[in-house]
Amino acid sequence: MSADAIVQNVRRPNALLPILVGGVVAGSLDLTSAFITYGWGVPRGIASGLLGSRSFQGGLTTWILGVFLQYFIASSAAAIYYVASRKLEFLKSHFLVCGLFYGIAVFLVLNLIVLPLSAFPFKAGPFTVAQLIQGLLVHMVLIGLPISYSVCRFSA
């Protein structure tokens, strides 16, 4: 390996750390919030996005699938933010404001695109004002901010 190749490897930003930290923290905070609000059956509801209503009769395997999907979705959101921050430097330098707005964007994408296209057996919305405020705040504070901070903190 040449000296130039070593220097390039040192300079190359490590994408895995900010994505994993952001995904795990955001996924954990969101899942904890959902457990508090809706109970321990939440992972089966998440799994119903793939399996439909039969996921609610599933056992431990279905529950674990839901937890895996929760972290997959949160890590995907972190990866998207990370990739965007490579071109848009202000996403790192202004992580507080950008994280709050990113949480809103994640909420909208999940509720307006992902859920309607999934096998989730219930219609999402219309929300009451209280549900809308709770959903937005959870996504802004518990998803958007941890992702934006991890990208700011752990990216080169």
Side-chain angles (χ1 to χ4, degrees), residues 10-150:
V10 171
R11 288 185 185 161
R12 182 180 305 145
N14 184 2
L16 194 57
L17 184 61
I19 291 170
L20 283 179
V21 169
V24 167
V25 172
S28 297
L29 290 173
D30 186 36
L31 197 55
T32 301
S33 170
F35 284 148
I36 291 168
T37 305
Y38 302 108
W40 288 99
V42 167
R44 286 188 185 89
I46 297 168
S48 73
L50 286 180
L51 305 176
S53 59
R54 68 177 185 232
S55 71
F56 294 102
Q57 284 75 44
L60 181 61
T61 306
T62 305
W63 196 88
I64 292 171
L65 173 64
V67 172
F68 170 79
L69 290 172
Q70 169 71 17
Y71 286 105
F72 175 77
I73 292 166
S75 296
S76 297
I80 291 167
Y81 192 91
Y82 175 83
V83 169
S85 74
R86 301 292 90 199
K87 294 288 183 190
L88 306 171
E89 281 294 320
F90 67 88
L91 292 176
K92 287 194 308 186
S93 59
H94 300 289
F95 74 90
L96 183 64
V97 172
C98 293
L100 293 173
F101 279 104
Y102 190 64
I104 294 170
V106 170
F107 176 82
L108 292 173
V109 167
L110 287 175
N111 283 286
L112 299 177
I113 298 171
V114 175
L115 276 178
L117 294 175
S118 74
F120 187 69
F122 307 106
K123 185 178 183 217
F127 298 107
T128 65
V129 173
Q131 291 170 324
L132 181 63
I133 291 171
Q134 179 185 2
L136 285 170
L137 287 175
V138 163
H139 282 79
M140 291 166 68
V141 175
L142 301 182
I143 296 173
L145 282 180
I147 289 172
S148 66
Y149 180 73
S150 70

